[in-house]
Amino acid sequence: MGKSDFLSPKAIANRIKSKGLQKLRWYCQMCQKQCRDENGFKCHCMSESHQRQLLLASENPQQFMDYFSEEFRNDFLELLRRRFGTKRVHNNIVYNEYISHREHIHMNATQWETLTDFTKWLGREGLCKVDETPKGWYIQYIDRDPETIRRQQEQERKKKQDLDDEEKTAKFIEQQVRRGLEGKELEKPVYTELNRENEEEKVAFNLNKGASTSIAASSKTSSGLGPNALKMVEGAVKRKESAHSSGQSKEKKKKSALDEIMELEEEKKRTARRDYWLQPEIVVKIVTKKLGEKYHRKKAIVKEVIDKYTAVVKMIDSGDKLKLDQTHLETVIPAPGKKVMVLNGGYRGNEGILESINEKRFSATIVIDSVFPPHALRNRLLQAAVEAKANE
């Protein structure tokens, strides 16, 4: 076989090597020729055809760069439109798919140095929507095809027409219902209490099973079961009266002082919660970052409360006064054994001693000395009034 035979090992090896992508540094964009190695690229650069192409490009280099840039842009956007449509996609995914084609225009022959510059240019020209994320640049194709715009308008028009038809149907049904209700008053059911006019009258139940039962049979059964049924009814009425009287006697019994205190405590817990908690002379911590690092996480004392939700605070370390909303503050929990104030709930405003803190349940135990049951507080007030009068 000759050296130039199509099935020779060298020819087969050359065809295998020429498949797929080669190195970019051995590609000549002017001649659109890909070389396989450095020696081949060097021989190509010294060839007469390459020298002629360089002379043509040197006469008007901007024209060649504009041509390659336009070809690159058109091919890139065509791939983006056909492959991904109007979906948001990473620019590197589109570029890798674009350069997988062997005869593509290389970016080093265009006016853009990097893919990021090309992506920004697409956003400035309004060809794509671009946004930068920590993972890189994402692009979304803007379809300005007249046919696509016409289809979108048709869909919007059809949707609007469907909505109009639904509204017309709803109005028609409403008119029909209104016409049917005209001249007719809705009969509301009347509920009355079940009262007996005569207390001595016995309670009797009439259970009719149907019209097929004969009068004779009913009279016979009623006469046979009459005495026993009346006795049963009397016993039932007596049991009901006894249960009712016992329930009334239990209700009339006075509740113990402990029950009253527990009921008051539960009522306080249910009704005394508020959405504001600021109180004068309490220690708070500033949690907002808008004031800078100078005041962030620093402690202050509330000097004045304005409109329940705003406070004038004085910094403990610097003495500066600030006016802040309660959302920019948080409470400070002291060490066990220190004095605290209850800011919300049934004991709002009362002071006590912090006994312990349960971090797992986010709760604390406080001993409050100034809280008394209602009767104890009343007795103390009367005693104080008597002592004051005796001193006069």
Side-chain angles (χ1 to χ4, degrees), residues 229-248:
L230 289 174
K231 287 180 181 179
M232 291 170 65
V233 170
E234 287 179 0
V237 170
K238 286 181 180 179
R239 283 196 298 271
K240 285 184 180 178
E241 289 179 355
S242 62
H244 183 65
S245 61
S246 63
Q248 286 182 349

Side-chain angles (χ1 to χ4, degrees), residues 189-202:
V190 179
Y191 302 99
T192 58
E193 295 182 359
L194 181 62
N195 296 325
R196 283 195 300 176
E197 297 179 356
N198 189 4
E199 294 292 335
E200 297 179 357
E201 185 180 356
K202 296 178 180 179

